[in-house]
Amino acid sequence: MADKRPAVFLDRDGTLMEEAHYCRRPEEVRIYPGVSEALDRLHWAGFANIIITNQSGIGRGLISVEEYEAVQAELLRQIGPARIDATYFCPDAPGTESPRRKPAPGMILEAAAELSLDLRRSWFIGDKPADIECGQNAGTRTILVQTGYGRETMKSTPDFIAPDVAEAIRLLLEN
């Protein structure tokens, strides 16, 4: 276990960037203030930064994989180089039986195996109950942020609640 690194798994839409319903255009990407600096603090503390995102717009035929990739590239550009270690996305629509679609932990388990991550020392930060449940299903601690859908939904039991990602990262580094 000593060689395994902890990670912070981060939801994308409504957590790292403003919610843009089925975002398909790079010009719609707006990261929240403080995200880049907070991700730097995680790296300095030894965490891997991993994006875990459901992209049901692909499965629903509302956006293409190419549009998703263009939006993701713009998000990574705005966040800045070397701040995200990996991204995992699930294109499946709701109702599809999928071990990868949040709240199932499949994407986290893939990342843990591929990147040699210690899930017991890891966290999941997101704005929806599915994010919190995904982290819990994988054995991580969780933080619900009140950006995106986080203010509207209190139907989950996270370890902590924070107003945004920057504050969530401050909280987890203190704990």
Side-chain angles (χ1 to χ4, degrees):
M1 271 304 182
D3 62 338
K4 290 193 173 193
R5 181 179 181 191
V8 176
F9 299 98
L10 301 137
D11 174 55
R12 189 185 85 171
D13 304 306
T15 300
L16 293 173
M17 64 181 251
E18 292 177 12
E19 181 67 41
H21 198 61
Y22 301 112
C23 189
R24 59 190 296 184
R25 297 187 356 239
E27 57 271 16
E28 294 176 342
V29 174
R30 307 269 186 283
I31 67 166
Y32 287 116
V35 166
S36 297
E37 298 80 9
L39 293 173
D40 282 341
R41 287 193 297 278
L42 287 175
H43 270 163
W44 295 331
F47 287 89
N49 297 329
I50 315 292
I51 294 174
I52 301 289
T53 181
N54 283 344
Q55 291 296 316
S56 69
I58 297 169
R60 295 171 191 233
L62 301 173
I63 66 171
S64 67
V65 171
E66 294 77 17
E67 288 169 322
Y68 159 77
E69 289 172 348
V71 166
Q72 184 66 18
E74 177 59 18
L75 172 76
L76 295 176
R77 186 194 70 73
Q78 287 186 30
I79 286 175
R83 290 189 170 116
I84 298 296
D85 296 286
T87 298
Y88 293 80
F89 77 98
C90 179
D92 300 330
T96 303
E97 189 117 355
S98 171
R100 298 182 81 242
R101 183 173 168 73
K102 294 183 287 182
M107 290 185 282
I108 291 177
L109 299 177
E110 286 175 38
E114 291 172 4
L115 303 172
S116 190
L117 302 173
D118 182 353
L119 295 179
R120 292 178 307 183
R121 295 188 300 140
S122 296
W123 295 76
F124 196 109
I125 300 173
D127 69 317
K128 294 180 183 170
D131 299 323
I132 302 309
E133 291 172 35
C134 181
Q136 291 168 338
N137 290 337
T140 73
R141 295 180 76 188
T142 59
I143 302 176
L144 178 74
V145 291
Q146 295 180 309
T147 50
Y149 291 100
R151 281 190 208 111
E152 300 170 14
T153 177
M154 298 305 283
K155 297 176 184 168
S156 58
T157 54
D159 293 293
F160 295 97
I161 297 173
D164 57 35
V165 161
E167 182 64 17
I169 290 170
R170 187 192 66 73
L171 276 171
L172 81 82
L173 289 172
E174 289 178 358
N175 288 280

